[in-house]
Amino acid sequence: MPRRLLSAAAAGALLLGLAACGDVEEGPVTTAPPEINVNGPSDGGGDAGPSDGGGEETDEATAAAPDIPPPDPADYAGMDEKTEDGAIQAFRYYIAVSMWAHQTGEDSELLELQTDACEGCPGFNAELPKLQEQGLYWSEFTVRDVKLTPHDSENFDYEIGYSFTIPDHTRPDPESGEPVAVDPIEYIAVGGLTWSTDRWVTGGLLAEWGSDVHS
């Protein structure tokens, strides 16, 4: 049976952080951030049916994923250690790998970093299957840290509060596949981390995002 997601203390800290951020949507994450300029579900980019001159569009939509290097574990020193700081670094790495998966479609490492029953993880990564279906992905960027705070937990070994920003980038429109510009988005997340054999895994995730970020 899945564990209760996160402690009241961690959730309360998340809400306090949201209040400080200003324009943030209410409620826990059950779906990925809203798609930009899109009102309906993806149909695979509109390339499923044949059309005159449509061959090039189909080839482009199924092209190889961008050659973007994965996050370097060396940048998350200590994430393989069974310590509080190790859990902090492991959650940073999880978020970075999630973003990289959205840039390349590669999700094998992401799945290794979360439990099969992770509450909140499917919602946080809900856009990924659509991107993989299209063969079109987010443009390259690096997550910017804002703040990391560990919390006591009754349900996990640690609960890590993490404020971070993804800078301006482009994402494909799920209908047309055309790149759409997205302004910087500030996220506030809490991850439930558990030590499993020789690594930290994320078993719970609560996140919110704001639409206005001022550098």
Side-chain angles (χ1 to χ4, degrees), residues 10-89:
L14 176 65
L15 294 175
L16 288 174
L18 294 176
C21 285
D23 183 11
V24 179
E25 299 195 9
E26 297 180 355
V29 160
T30 54
T31 60
E35 294 166 345
I36 308 301
N37 297 329
V38 176
N39 294 319
S42 170
D43 63 357
D47 295 324
S51 62
D52 293 340
E56 287 188 9
E57 293 183 6
T58 300
D59 291 343
E60 181 178 346
T62 57
D67 186 18
I68 299 174
D72 186 351
D75 294 333
Y76 307 86
M79 71 175 189
D80 57 349
E81 298 176 3
K82 192 178 180 181
T83 62
E84 180 181 275
D85 188 63
I88 290 172
Q89 297 304 319

Side-chain angles (χ1 to χ4, degrees), residues 109-133:
E109 175 69 358
L110 179 65
L111 297 177
E112 290 290 327
L113 297 174
Q114 65 187 42
T115 64
D116 292 340
C118 177
E119 297 179 85
C121 294
F124 187 73
N125 297 299
E127 193 173 346
L128 183 54
K130 297 180 183 180
L131 299 173
Q132 293 168 325
E133 180 183 0

